Amino acid sequence: MKIKSAEFVMSNSDVAKCPKNTIPEYAFIGRSNVGKSSLINMLTNRKSLAKTSGKPGKTQLINHFIINNNWFLVDLPGYGYARVSKTSKKTFQKFITNYFEQRKQLVSAFVLVDIRHQPQPIDLDFMMYLGENGIPFGIIFTKADKLKPKAIEKHVDDYCNVLLETWEELPPYFITSSSKKIGQDDVLDFIEATNEEIANLSSDL
Ligand code: GTP
Ligand code: MG
């Protein structure tokens, strides 16, 4: 898919106030600092559409970006950021879970995981939560530039084997690096194909 336009629409912490358009929506979630905002910039060929930082906890709200005027990308805060207070963690969890449970336009989530790490309970739990709520998701491995090709292969294989202990089928997954621009076409082509499927389904009705 070619990115013709990518614009920030709005930020908020209340799913009820998110854009009303019913165009397909894709949300990026994962631990703080895993590279969600950087990935959004890489996918859209923009330097600073989404705000990034070396310090975890940069993205604090639900951020909507409209792409090619026909679908939304959503940048979300990270989970597992220890330095926020317990109260703000609870508030955060609530607005994020409200988002996932109530946002009807959400077509798929992408759970981002750092390719260097073993499967972490917090990520596996979040995938389970998505599964239990019937929310389709894909996995995006980030920071692939940090490993050599052989190590990438091994880490992804190990990750898939752990997933297969609890899941019957593997979700779609993608290997990316925002700094080396790896995986852009894979993710965008997946979104394009999914958007086409949705358009065909609705024209069949
Ligand atoms: P929060 O908003 O705090 O939840 O973080 P985030 O997941 O949006 O991460 P962000 O995109 O802000 O990136 C966090 C740090 O990781 C920054 O220092 C980025 O430069 C770095 N980073 C992100 N993607 C990559 C990548 O593909 N390769 C490398 N080497 N560094 C990356
Ligand atoms: Mg961010």
Side-chain angles (χ1 to χ4, degrees):
M1 179 192 323
K2 240 190 137 138
I3 302 290
K4 291 177 222 132
S5 63
E7 286 157 47
F8 169 73
V9 180
M10 62 161 77
S11 297
N12 67 73
S13 60
D14 183 353
V15 62
K17 294 189 187 138
C18 286
K20 299 279 178 273
N21 322 28
T22 54
I23 56 177
E25 182 161 318
Y26 299 84
F28 293 76
I29 184 82
R31 298 176 78 116
S32 272
N33 226 38
V34 69
K36 301 175 292 297
S37 304
S38 304
L39 185 83
I40 288 174
N41 292 333
M42 187 275 268
L43 291 176
T44 55
N45 302 318
R46 302 293 190 276
K47 272 209 176 77
S48 46
L49 184 64
K51 293 193 184 112
T52 64
S53 166
K55 287 194 209 119
K58 179 67 179 175
T59 310
Q60 300 267 350
L61 296 165
I62 303 167
N63 297 285
H64 275 79
F65 300 93
I66 190 162
I67 314 299
N68 293 350
N69 277 323
N70 66 5
W71 56 281
F72 284 127
L73 261 184
V74 177
D75 191 16
L76 293 168
Y79 47 66
Y81 173 45
R83 271 161 58 204
V84 295
S85 71
K86 267 205 178 132
T87 336
S88 71
K89 218 180 220 172
K90 265 207 172 137
T91 317
F92 160 74
Q93 279 166 355
K94 195 72 208 143
F95 82 71
I96 295 301
T97 52
N98 284 345
Y99 169 80
F100 279 104
E101 289 161 32
Q102 295 172 28
R103 188 72 176 159
K104 296 210 167 56
Q105 296 91 327
L106 180 66
V107 172
S108 178
F110 290 105
V111 180
L112 275 64
V113 296
D114 188 319
I115 198 158
R116 294 169 293 179
H117 302 156
Q118 302 304 313
Q120 307 282 309
I122 196 167
D123 297 318
L124 299 175
D125 288 352
F126 198 81
M127 292 175 205
M128 197 51 79
Y129 160 81
L130 291 173
E132 281 165 2
N133 284 280
I135 300 161
F137 67 91
I139 297 177
I140 295 187
F141 294 100
T142 65
K143 310 194 185 183
D145 54 286
K146 298 273 193 187
L147 293 180
K148 300 226 156 65
K150 275 259 172 293
I152 291 180
E153 213 177 294
K154 180 169 180 355
H155 277 239
V156 171
D157 273 0
D158 290 351
Y159 208 101
C160 289
N161 286 333
V162 171
L163 287 174
L164 288 170
E165 289 169 13
T166 41
W167 295 84
E168 260 174 47
E169 256 180 74
L170 288 175
Y173 62 85
F174 308 89
I175 295 161
T176 70
S177 160
S178 297
S179 46
K180 290 268 164 72
K181 249 199 174 183
I182 297 168
Q184 185 189 28
D185 287 343
D186 293 343
V187 177
L188 290 179
D189 289 351
F190 173 83
I191 293 174
E192 184 172 40
T194 310
N195 285 345
E196 275 169 17
E197 249 174 64
I198 294 169
N200 290 341
L201 276 180
S202 42
S203 68
D204 285 350
L205 291 178

